[in-house]
Structures are given as structure tokens and as C-alpha cells.
Amino acid sequence: MIRKDEWIKSLTKLYGEREAALTADKMEERFCRFEGMQPRGGWLTEKDSILITYGDTLVKEGEPGFATLHGFLKKHVGDAISTVHILPMFPYTSDDGFSVVDYKKINPDLGDWEDVKKLAADYHLMFDAVINHISKSSDWFQRYLRCEEPYKDYFITCDPDEDYSTVTRPRALPLLTKFETAEGEKYVWTTFSEDQIDLNCKCPEVLIEILDVLLTYARSGARLIRLDAVGFLWKEPGTTCMHLPNTHEVIKLARKVLEDYALGTLLITETNVPHKDNISYFGNGKDEAQLVYQFPLPPLTMFSLLTGNAGRLTGWAQALDTPAPGTTYFNFLSSHDGVGVRPVEGILSKEEQQFLVDSALRNGGEVSYKDNGDGTKSPYELNINYQDALASPEESDEIRIKRFLAAETILLSMQGLPGIYIHSLLGSRNDYYGKSTSGIPRRINREKLKIEELEKALEGESSRRIIFEELLRRLKIRARHPAFAPDSPQKVLSLDQRVFALERESVSGEEKITVYINVSGECVKIKNSFAGGLDILSGEKTGAETELKPYECKWFV
């Protein structure tokens, strides 16, 4: 049963009473084809984890990307992973998929909707909704250029002489791009690039289109929908155009519509910003996103393992608010993007942030910068493979792998839903060739792997095999323990600066797990508050004291 009156509340805040009623009527008429969808599964448990991947990260000649990915997962991963996050899988023109030409078609190199359905039969799926912008080659924008109705209002026509200095800029590129239209020269809003044209959510027809896309994804197998770059969604000149009240209202409306037609579909917001702004997308805990990205975790974990000191990570984690029931953090360390620097503003000092920048450059990475609007630039993200981010080229493979596994175990231990990037699971390294030949810094961590060569490496004595097998083992162990469920409380402990430690307890109170992770290259002794604990990672028991070897991890029950 739809709650049209609830839609109207949000729509009134966005467009006023008269337009709200008209828009609600149009929504009801258009969305009637989605009635009768079966509710999705229940809330997340300790068995849930996410693999983040492009549909064509794994390549086999003559075979669509989805078929290759699906075959690899069934053969080598099995149920160690519950959910697959497929990065944009639609026809696109740039930005490795994030300049979408058509939201409802599948990139033919990957397969078709039938292939998506097959994958959904074995794994839950998360889809990307790239709703802040669309490709300039899209039908919508081409109709805008021809000045056709209603597409003339689908995009934001701007006066280039206005002052846009307050607008938050994620990249050091022009905010406005000039195009020739049937009515002459016009400037349009382009937050990310001249090929990614921002949609105008002030136009009710655009909002209806966006909601239709979300419902289409839910009907097509998405258990989770990731709202890409959603913080930029609503524009008001004279403001930062970030996290505006109407942006939050759009998310509230999206949740209402999904609950009416596809109950159980979860929204996850992607906002690479300081923590306070990031968690604002939980709303009141019941009305916005069910999950938000835990953006400070990657840089803080990197900082801890490079310095051998978990103090900053511990202090931040101790201050985290416990998410409301039915919401949780999406924990990750690496993804198709870089390691964000902005999320640690106010947590790490300028000198400590610069340490991360210098470390990434020393370890073979690059740094992307944002435009501050006053002629200056500041670090936005570190473009580097996460394994390489944790060790200099001079350090041994053994140290690098131990640090990397310690980092991933921090990810698996914390309250929330863990997401592992496919190149982390597969033990990949910096892809210098991809970065240099494309001129795109993010390509350093987006290598396409030939399936035959990958499987050969996983069968031999390679670092790939060591990392792959151990991460799968730890994922399977984690899935057997309700203390690791997203709703299970956590208590972050201050024991030793060299050790990140926390307690997780199941909601029922029947199981407690104490986590010790040595982030240093030194041996550390910890006096236990328990006796006779069993380390479920090694199968060994401990007494009143635990000795941790460099970068060693313990999960005690």
C-alpha cells in the first residue's frame, strides 16, 4: 500500500503544495507497474559481507564480463561473500562507468539483464545509482541541446558571470561547461567533468525519473542501492551546494517510495566528506539511508600501520556514535576510488595528513586535489593500491602482506557491514601500466585481470594466493559468530598504543569476542581481562597474558 500523503510531505518541502500534489499524482501513475514486488530479505547479519567490483575486472576472451565474474565467484569464493557490489554496469562514455548514457541498459561488454538475474540467484547484489549527473551523450542531454520539452529543464543552465566561489569542488576542473544549443550558447553545471552533466532536481520530472531508476534497480535484483556522490545533488547558488536540506529530503522521499514498492531494499549513501557530514545521511535513524560509508576508516587504518601507532584510530573509533537499529556503517578500506583525505579533517593534523600524502607518493601512488574556490588546492584523495599504501618498495613482501592482513582484519572486526574491494581480495598491486597509459590516476587500482593468469597465480606459491586464501578463511570464520553482526555492540579499548583492540558482543549476550590487532613491527604483551580465551583465528588458547607478534591479529572467544 502506497503512502501518498507521506510523499506529498517531502514533495511540498521541495516544490511547494500545488506542485507537490501534481507530482505525487504523476508518481502514482508512473510507478503502478512496480506494484506487487516481493519484499527483500531481512536485516543484515554476521553472514553478510560485500565484494566491490567492476563487471569486467575479470576478463576472459569471448565471454561477457558477468559470466566470467559469476564463474569465478562460484568456483573460488562460494559463500564466503554474501553480496556483490557491481560498480556502474551501464553504457558510459568516461570516468570508468560513472558517466552513464542510459541508466536502464546493461553495457553489452558485460552481458545483459538476464546475466544479472543469474548472478542474483547466487548472491545478493548492490547496484550503483549515479543520479547526480549523466553523460553528455545521453538521450536526455541531447534533447536538452535541441531545446525539447521537458528536457530543457533536466539540466542546470547557468549565468557564467555569477559568483560560484562558495560551491564545493571535488576536482580541480571548471564548474560550468559551455555548449551550443538550438537556442544558442548555454553554460551548464558540471561538478565532475565536461562529460558528466549535473541533473536538475529542482525539476519534478527529473526527480520522478530518478525514483523510477531506483525502483527499476530494486525490481531487477538490487538488495542495496548505492547513491553515488549524492551530497552534491541539490544546487543553490551562494551556498556550498553540499548536504543541503533538500538533498536530504530527496533521500527521504526515495526511502519512502522504496518502502512502498520494494520493502527491504537498502539505501547506502556515498559521501567522501568529514565524518559529521557523512553520518548526517542516517537522518533520524528511520527516514534516510540505512547505511553510510565509513570514510575515515581507510586513511586512519593506513596511518596506524605506517606509524605503528593505533592511537588516532582508537580515539576516533571510541567517539563513534552507535547507529540506530536498522542502520549501520559500511566499512571499507579500498575501492575503485582512492583513499579519501577529507574524511580525516579534524581527526588528523595537517602534518599527519601530509604524512599520508608523502607516504602515498613514496610508495608509488599519486595524489588528486580539490579546488578550494580561492585559487588554492588541497589533497582530496590518495590514488594507490591499498596493499602498496602500507609499505614502501624497500620493505619486504612479508611485512607488506602482514600489514595488509592486519588492516583487513580491522575492517572485518568493526561494527558494521564489511566491504572488500576485489583487488584487495585478490592481493593485487599498483597497476602502473594502466595509470600511465590512461593518464587517469585512479586506474592504478582498477586493473583488468585475465582469468587464466589469475587462476594460475592463485594455484601457485604467490602473494595473491596467500592473501586470497587467508581473507576467505577469515571471512568464513567471521560469518559463524553473531558477535560480528552489524547490530552487535562494540567497545573500543585503550590497552597499548601499538594495538587496536575492541570487544564485540552478540545482541543476545551469549557471545563476546575480544579483538587484538598489533599495528606495529614490535612484539607486544597484553594483560587480558579474561582467562582461557580461545583465538578463533589460530585455534590457540591464552592465559592471563597474550603476546602479539608484529602485525598479529587475535579474535578471542
Side-chain angles (χ1 to χ4, degrees), residues 191-492:
T191 297
F192 289 91
S193 79
E194 57 87 23
D195 186 42
Q196 293 165 293
I197 318 298
D198 286 61
L199 292 167
N200 179 21
C201 284
K202 290 184 178 180
C203 170
E205 293 295 335
V206 168
L207 184 58
I208 293 173
E209 296 276 18
I210 287 173
L211 295 172
D212 190 280
V213 167
L214 300 184
L215 288 170
T216 298
Y217 292 171
R219 182 179 62 183
S220 302
R223 184 189 184 194
L224 298 98
I225 299 175
R226 174 184 182 268
L227 303 180
D228 175 70
V230 72
F232 299 89
L233 195 63
W234 198 276
K235 281 77 173 178
E236 291 289 351
T239 73
T240 63
C241 299
M242 283 291 285
H243 321 305
L244 297 184
N246 281 358
T247 293
H248 287 278
E249 202 60 50
V250 170
I251 296 171
K252 291 176 183 178
L253 177 60
R255 176 157 175 175
K256 292 172 184 177
V257 170
L258 285 168
E259 287 177 344
D260 286 350
Y261 291 100
L263 186 64
T265 306
L266 306 178
L267 287 174
I268 174 168
T269 51
E270 187 263 341
T271 51
N272 189 358
V273 293
H275 183 69
K276 183 180 179 181
D277 295 323
N278 193 34
I279 62 173
S280 69
Y281 289 89
F282 280 137
N284 66 15
K286 298 179 181 179
D287 63 347
E288 289 193 49
Q290 288 93 343
L291 296 97
V292 299
Y293 273 69
Q294 191 69 284
F295 274 105
L297 185 60
L300 287 175
T301 300
M302 177 182 170
F303 184 81
S304 299
L305 284 153
L306 287 174
T307 61
N309 188 322
R312 293 295 193 197
L313 177 64
T314 296
W316 164 77
Q318 286 176 331
L320 284 176
D321 292 327
T322 300
T327 67
T328 195
Y329 298 112
F330 179 60
N331 297 324
F332 76 111
L333 294 179
S334 183
S335 73
H336 61 293
D337 288 339
V339 178
V341 179
R342 287 206 66 208
V344 290
E345 292 175 5
I347 302 173
L348 296 182
S349 67
K350 291 292 185 182
E351 292 76 18
E352 289 168 332
Q353 292 175 47
Q354 188 60 44
F355 170 78
L356 290 179
V357 169
D358 294 341
S359 297
L361 293 172
R362 183 186 66 244
N363 297 351
E366 289 195 18
V367 180
S368 295
Y369 290 84
K370 74 178 185 75
D371 189 334
N372 294 325
D374 58 3
T376 65
K377 300 176 184 178
S378 57
Y380 181 73
E381 68 177 19
L382 313 176
N383 301 119
I384 191 167
N385 172 277
Y386 205 78
Q387 187 183 161
D388 284 293
L390 299 179
S392 68
E394 294 77 28
E395 293 180 288
S396 68
D397 288 350
E398 181 182 10
I399 288 175
R400 187 186 66 255
I401 292 171
K402 284 183 177 180
R403 283 182 188 161
F404 182 68
L405 290 173
E408 294 295 327
T409 306
I410 291 172
L411 166 68
L412 296 179
S413 303
M414 290 191 66
Q415 185 180 46
L417 175 67
I420 297 181
Y421 187 42
I422 191 167
H423 281 299
S424 293
L425 183 65
L426 298 176
S428 296
R429 303 288 303 280
N430 283 336
D431 179 19
Y432 295 113
Y433 178 80
K435 183 193 72 169
S436 62
T437 56
S438 68
I440 300 172
R442 285 176 169 175
R443 289 269 179 93
I444 198 169
N445 200 26
R446 296 179 178 179
E447 184 179 7
K448 296 186 189 302
L449 304 173
K450 294 181 179 179
I451 191 70
E452 297 86 354
E453 295 177 4
L454 172 63
E455 290 184 325
K456 185 176 180 180
L458 293 178
E459 292 169 359
E461 297 302 318
S462 66
S463 60
R464 279 196 188 279
R465 179 177 179 176
I466 294 169
I467 291 170
F468 180 69
E469 291 184 349
E470 185 58 23
L471 285 180
L472 289 183
R473 188 180 78 88
R474 294 185 189 192
L475 279 162
K476 290 176 181 177
I477 293 171
R478 182 186 184 281
R480 295 197 292 267
H481 292 274
F484 284 129
D487 285 346
S488 297
Q490 75 176 17
K491 179 181 179 182
V492 181

Side-chain angles (χ1 to χ4, degrees), residues 51 53-60 63-79 81-82 84 86 110-125 422 451 455:
L51 179 69
T53 183
Y54 281 103
D56 59 353
T57 295
L58 305 182
V59 179
K60 185 176 182 180
E63 185 172 75
F66 284 149
T68 305
L69 173 65
H70 194 183
F72 178 84
L73 293 176
K74 290 188 70 173
K75 180 178 179 181
H76 297 283
V77 175
D79 62 359
I81 291 286
S82 69
V84 180
I86 308 170
L110 304 181
D112 54 29
W113 281 112
E114 189 61 30
D115 292 301
V116 175
K117 182 179 179 181
K118 290 176 183 177
L119 188 58
D122 291 314
Y123 296 93
H124 296 303
L125 299 180
I422 191 167
I451 191 70
E455 290 184 325

